[in-house]
Amino acid sequence: MSHIESVLHENRSFPPSSEFTAQANVSGIAAYQALTTKAATDYEGYWADLARQHISWETPFTRILDETNAPFYRWFDDGYLNVSYNCIDRHLPAKADKTALIFEADDGLVTRISYQQLHDRVCAFANALIAQGVTKGDRVVIYMPMSAEAVIAMQACARIGAIHSVVFGGFSAKSLHERIVDAQAKLVITADAGMRGGRATSLKSAVDEALTLGGTECISRVIVYQRTGQEVNWHESRDLWWHDSVADMPNTCEPARMNAEDPLFILYTSGSTGTPKGVQHSSAGYLLGAIVTMNMVFDAKADTDVFWCTADVGWITGHTYVTYGPLAMGMTQVIFEGVPTYPDAGRFWKMIQDHRVTTFYTAPTAIRSLIKLGGELPRQYDLSSLRLLGSVGEPINPEAWMWYHQEVGQSRCPIVDTWWQTETGSNMIAPLPGAVATKPGSCTLPIPGIIADVVDEHGASLPFGQGGYLVITRPFPSLLRTLWNNPERYKKSYFPEELGGKVYLAGDSAQRDTDGYYWIMGRIDDVLNVSGHRLGTMEIESALVSHPLVAEAAIVGKPHDIKGEAIVAFVVLKGERPQGAAAKEISDTLRNWVGQEIGAIAKPDEIRFGDNLPKTRSGKIMRRLLRALAKGETITQDVSTLENPAILDQLK
Ligand code: WT7
C-alpha cells in the first residue's frame, strides 16, 4: 500500500477541546461556516472587511479586487500603507516596552529586543540604506544567518520601500550570484559568518565569490554584519560594516508611503525548469494574508502568546511567520540561530520551557529527526506553556503527527497542519484549531476566503475520493502577483490555458475524503521536497551536466525516513562507467560539485552510474522507471517502448 493510500485509511479524528474552543478567535464549527458562507456570498466584501479591520492604512482603499488584467490581479489598489509601520510603529503607543524578539544564539546566549528598540534599530538601518543610495523599488539581497539583524534588514527595506530578496544562507555563491543578477540588486546585506551547531559557516566569502562572477555591476555596496568576528576579505571601496553603517544614523525614519500593490519582496523558489522563479509579493495583500492566518490558524493572542516559528528567514515560512506575521500582531516571538540537535536533541524542548513558548511551528522533517534522536526527551522538560502546535513543508506522516500530539502537545494542544506555498504567501488549507477537528496527515479544510478545488486535466471539479490537481479558483490577497522579470512564465506556470487560464494551479496533487478533508499527495511537476525544501530536478541535473566529466544526468526522488524525499542521481559519464572505488570517488566529487553549484541541500544522497539512461526510441528519459529503480522495486512496468532495456540491470 502506498503512503497516500495508507493515510487515506486514517480515521482518527481529534475535535477541538471545549477549553480551546471557548477561548478561540474562531470558536466552533458554526463560526467557521459563517465565515466561509460570508466569503462565498460576498467574496470581495469579506476580504475588504478584514483589510479594514486588520491593516492600518495611510490612505484607505475604495477599490477591492481588480480582475480586468487577469491573471495579474490587483487588490485594494488605491490604498496606501507601510508594512513596517504596521509591524512596529502602530504598537508603540500601547507596548513600546513589550518584548518583540527573543533571540537565542547557537551557544544559548539570549537577547531581548523591545518594540521600541526594534523601531529604533529598524529606523537607524533604514537610514543607513538611504545613505547608501537605496530608494523605493530598488532590490536589496539579504544573505544572512538567522538573527535579529536579518529581521531588522527586511523591516528596514519595507520601511523605505526597497524590495528585499532574501537568499537562504545555505545556498552557494553560484546560486546567490544567479539571484543577484536576475533581481539586478543594488546592495547585498550579509554577515561575516553564521553559527550553527557550534560551527561557523562563512557567508561573506560566498558574497565575494558571487560578485566576481559576471553581471554584478549593479551591486554598489555590501553591508556586513559582524557575527563571529572571524577574518574576512575586505574590499575598501565596496564593503561596509553594519555597525559603521548605523553609527551616526538617527533612530527615526519616516515610513515610505507605499501603494497596496507595490512589491514588498521577491523570493526565489524552484520550478520545473533549471532557473529559479522570482516569486513577487505585494504589500497590502501579502500583509493581510499573514495577519488573517495569524489570527485564524495560529489563534494569536497578542498579549499572552509567545510565538515560535523555527523556519529560517531564507524561506517563505520565515518571511510570513517570523518577520511579518508575529510583528504585525504585536506579539512576542522567539528567533533561533542554531539547529534542533545542538547541543542535543532536547534543544527545542528546552527553549520552549525557558521562553514559555505557547505556539510552536515547525516542519515534519525536524519532528522525525527528533523522534529518532530522542523520542523520550520532551518529557524531561516543562512544556506546559504550549497551547498550539503547527506543521508545515510537506505532508506529515500520521506516526509523526501522533508523537507530536502526545509527546510535545501532551494530548492537549491542537495541531495545525498548514498547506501553502512560497507563491500563496500565507496558509491556504489548514484547520482553524478551535473549530475544525483534525486528522493525522490531513491539512483539513480551506481557510475561510480561500476557494480550493480538486480538478481533472480539463479543469473539471472531481468528486470526493478522487485524486487530481489542487487548484484555488478565486484570486486571494496574498497570492503572488507575478514572477520577477517573467510575466509569461507566471501565466504559464500558474494559470495554464488547459484549465481555463483563471484558476491558480498549485502544482500539487490532492484528494478529498468523504468529509471534504484535503490530503496532499505530492507534486505534479519535477520538483522534489527534501526536508521541506523545494528543489527542481532540472536544477540539479543542470548542475551535474555542467561538470566536465558528466555527459548526462537524471534526478529522481525516493522516500526517505527523515528528509521525506532523498535525491537519487543517475549519471552517464563522458568516459567509461566507473566501478568500485573509482565510482565512490567520482560520486564524492560530483556531490561536492552540486553543493558548490546550488548548495548543500541539493547534494544527491546517492549516485548511480550507467553507460546510458533508459530512453524511449524518441530519446525521452523514462523517469518512472528510474523512480522504480531508485526505490529498489523490480520493474513490472511495460518496457517494450524502451530503446535499451538492458540498461535497467546496470542501474539497479
Ligand atoms: C510545497 C511548497 C509553504 C511553506 C514551506 C514550503 C509542500 C507545504 C505542506 C503541508 C503537504 C505541503 C507542497 C507545496 N507542502 N506544506 N502542510 N502538507 N504538503 O514552501 O518551498 O514553496 O513548497 O511544499 O508540495 O506545494 P515551498
Side-chain angles (χ1 to χ4, degrees):
M1 196 155 59
S2 76
H3 170 70
I4 183 68
E5 284 163 15
S6 74
V7 293
L8 286 171
H9 287 90
E10 175 62 58
N11 49 23
R12 283 171 289 199
S13 169
F14 296 82
S17 68
S18 49
E19 293 82 2
F20 196 96
T21 298
Q23 60 80 62
N25 295 346
V26 178
S27 179
I29 194 69
Y32 168 82
Q33 277 154 354
L35 289 167
T36 46
T37 306
K38 159 99 173 128
T41 48
D42 177 16
Y43 187 70
E44 293 190 25
Y46 169 84
W47 282 113
D49 286 352
L50 288 170
R52 289 192 192 99
Q53 186 189 338
H54 291 298
I55 291 179
S56 303
W57 294 89
E58 194 190 315
T59 307
F61 62 91
T62 63
R63 294 200 293 259
I64 307 170
L65 169 62
D66 177 358
E67 300 183 74
T68 48
N69 191 26
F72 299 93
Y73 303 104
R74 299 170 64 82
W75 283 90
F76 319 120
D77 76 345
D78 59 348
Y80 287 81
L81 78 165
N82 181 281
V83 170
S84 153
Y85 175 90
N86 275 271
C87 291
I88 304 171
D89 306 50
R90 66 166 165 171
H91 309 310
L92 294 179
K95 36 183 147 179
D97 296 330
K98 181 185 166 82
T99 301
L101 307 179
I102 302 172
F103 173 70
E104 182 162 321
D106 191 51
D107 64 4
L109 192 73
V110 174
T111 315
R112 286 189 168 71
I113 299 177
S114 69
Y115 271 93
Q116 183 66 52
Q117 290 166 330
L118 182 65
H119 168 271
D120 295 356
R121 295 190 57 188
V122 166
C123 287
F125 194 66
N127 287 323
L129 292 176
I130 293 170
Q132 296 310 320
V134 179
T135 55
K136 206 184 255 195
D138 285 343
R139 275 79 57 212
V140 171
V141 163
I142 299 177
Y143 185 66
M144 294 189 83
M146 273 305 277
S147 51
E149 283 71 14
V151 174
I152 289 168
M154 293 164 80
Q155 286 285 346
C157 288
R159 194 158 190 97
I160 65 172
I163 303 170
H164 61 67
S165 176
V166 183
V167 178
F168 173 57
F171 278 121
S172 68
K174 272 267 183 74
S175 294
L176 175 63
H177 169 257
E178 193 176 10
R179 288 156 174 76
I180 290 171
V181 173
D182 190 73
Q184 284 295 295
K186 197 175 224 177
L187 188 136
V188 180
I189 304 167
T190 189
D192 49 359
M195 286 300 297
R196 285 165 62 82
R199 286 209 309 260
T201 38
S202 304
L203 291 165
K204 171 66 163 63
S205 60
V207 175
D208 291 340
E209 189 189 333
L211 296 184
T212 61
L213 307 171
T216 52
E217 300 75 22
C218 50
I219 297 291
S220 57
R221 187 70 76 212
V222 176
I223 297 183
V224 188
Y225 161 59
Q226 193 166 36
R227 166 65 185 92
T228 63
Q230 71 185 59
E231 195 80 38
V232 288
N233 285 327
W234 204 252
H235 299 252
E236 217 41 72
S237 61
R238 188 196 71 195
D239 300 345
L240 176 65
W241 286 113
W242 175 298
H243 50 261
D244 290 335
S245 79
V246 293
D248 302 316
M249 291 300 159
N251 286 342
T252 55
C253 174
E254 195 59 35
R257 179 180 145 85
M258 303 302 291
N259 183 267
E261 280 296 317
D262 280 335
L264 181 64
F265 65 84
I266 306 167
L267 182 60
Y268 286 87
T269 188
S270 296
S272 21
T273 69
T275 39
K277 314 195 256 201
V279 169
Q280 180 183 318
H281 278 288
S282 69
S283 294
Y286 170 80
L287 179 66
L288 184 61
I291 296 175
V292 165
T293 52
M294 285 299 302
N295 258 305
M296 291 189 186
V297 180
F298 294 102
D299 193 45
K301 302 289 190 288
D303 295 331
T304 48
D305 275 341
V306 177
F307 188 83
W308 183 18
C309 165
T310 67
D312 191 286
V313 292
W315 309 107
I316 190 68
T317 310
H319 281 60
T320 310
Y321 299 104
V322 178
T323 300
Y324 292 111
L327 293 179
M329 303 303 295
M331 295 170 95
T332 296
Q333 73 171 313
V334 173
I335 301 181
F336 179 39
E337 180 179 38
V339 296
T341 49
Y342 177 82
D344 60 49
R347 184 67 181 266
F348 276 0
W349 323 131
K350 179 168 190 315
M351 285 180 62
I352 290 170
Q353 167 184 281
D354 291 353
H355 303 301
R356 304 294 297 156
V357 171
T358 59
T359 316
F360 180 66
Y361 190 27
T362 196
T365 184
I367 296 167
R368 288 190 301 261
S369 76
L370 293 175
I371 295 173
K372 192 163 173 195
L373 294 167
E376 71 299 341
L377 287 176
R379 295 193 178 198
Q380 297 175 17
Y381 296 90
D382 174 7
L383 304 182
S384 60
S385 58
L386 283 174
R387 66 180 194 90
L388 180 61
L389 301 173
S391 173
V392 62
E394 57 176 308
I396 179 165
N397 44 311
E399 312 77 66
W401 194 102
M402 286 307 297
W403 179 87
Y404 197 30
H405 176 66
Q406 287 166 348
E407 302 299 316
V408 181
Q410 299 169 336
S411 305
R412 176 185 73 241
C413 307
I415 297 179
V416 290
D417 176 355
T418 60
W419 177 86
W420 59 298
Q421 311 174 293
T422 305
E423 292 87 343
T424 68
S426 54
N427 301 163
M428 294 283 110
I429 307 182
L432 306 199
V436 175
T438 55
K439 298 183 191 182
S442 167
C443 52
T444 76
L445 301 172
I447 290 159
I450 300 303
I451 321 292
D453 202 354
V454 177
V455 301
D456 68 14
E457 65 275 24
H458 309 296
S461 184
L462 290 167
F464 293 174
Q466 272 186 45
Y469 301 139
L470 178 57
V471 296
I472 300 173
T473 57
R474 293 286 285 138
F476 47 93
S478 71
L479 179 67
L480 82 161
R481 291 300 186 262
T482 188
L483 292 175
W484 182 256
N485 266 339
N486 211 338
E488 275 313 307
R489 190 174 179 193
Y490 164 79
K491 277 213 253 189
K492 262 180 56 194
S493 310
Y494 304 116
F495 296 92
E497 285 305 326
E498 298 86 319
L499 302 182
K502 285 203 161 177
V503 301
Y504 170 76
L505 177 69
D508 281 334
S509 57
Q511 174 165 339
R512 284 172 294 204
D513 67 17
T514 46
D515 296 326
Y517 274 44
Y518 284 75
W519 299 80
I520 307 297
M521 296 153 74
R523 299 285 307 188
I524 54 170
D525 49 11
D526 295 318
V527 168
L528 304 182
N529 189 326
V530 180
S531 303
H533 300 318
R534 235 159 104 171
L535 289 167
T537 53
M538 281 271 284
E539 270 175 275
I540 311 175
E541 287 165 7
S542 317
L544 280 169
V545 295
S546 72
H547 190 279
L549 288 175
V550 177
E552 213 178 355
I555 295 289
V556 298
K558 83 167 183 191
H560 186 277
D561 281 353
I562 307 269
K563 298 182 186 185
E565 225 168 350
I567 305 170
V568 181
F570 293 91
V571 171
V572 181
L573 296 183
K574 285 176 184 158
E576 292 261 291
R577 178 167 87 104
Q579 303 200 34
K584 165 91 180 66
E585 203 187 309
I586 299 180
S587 217
D588 289 344
T589 308
L590 294 180
R591 292 184 71 248
N592 290 331
W593 175 265
V594 174
Q596 276 167 31
E597 290 290 298
I598 304 175
I601 45 171
K603 283 186 183 179
D605 295 84
E606 193 186 326
I607 300 186
R608 298 189 198 175
F609 297 99
D611 293 321
N612 208 335
L613 297 174
K615 288 183 190 154
T616 59
R617 291 197 184 93
S618 59
K620 210 169 149 347
I621 297 172
M622 295 189 70
R623 286 170 190 278
R624 65 180 169 84
L625 291 181
L626 291 176
R627 276 191 282 271
L629 286 171
K631 281 193 238 167
E633 290 171 5
T634 31
I635 306 285
T636 51
Q637 289 118 313
D638 178 18
V639 294
S640 58
T641 54
L642 209 57
E643 170 77 38
N644 48 350
I647 204 70
L648 296 178
D649 280 332
Q650 218 177 53
L651 295 171
K652 262 191 221 154

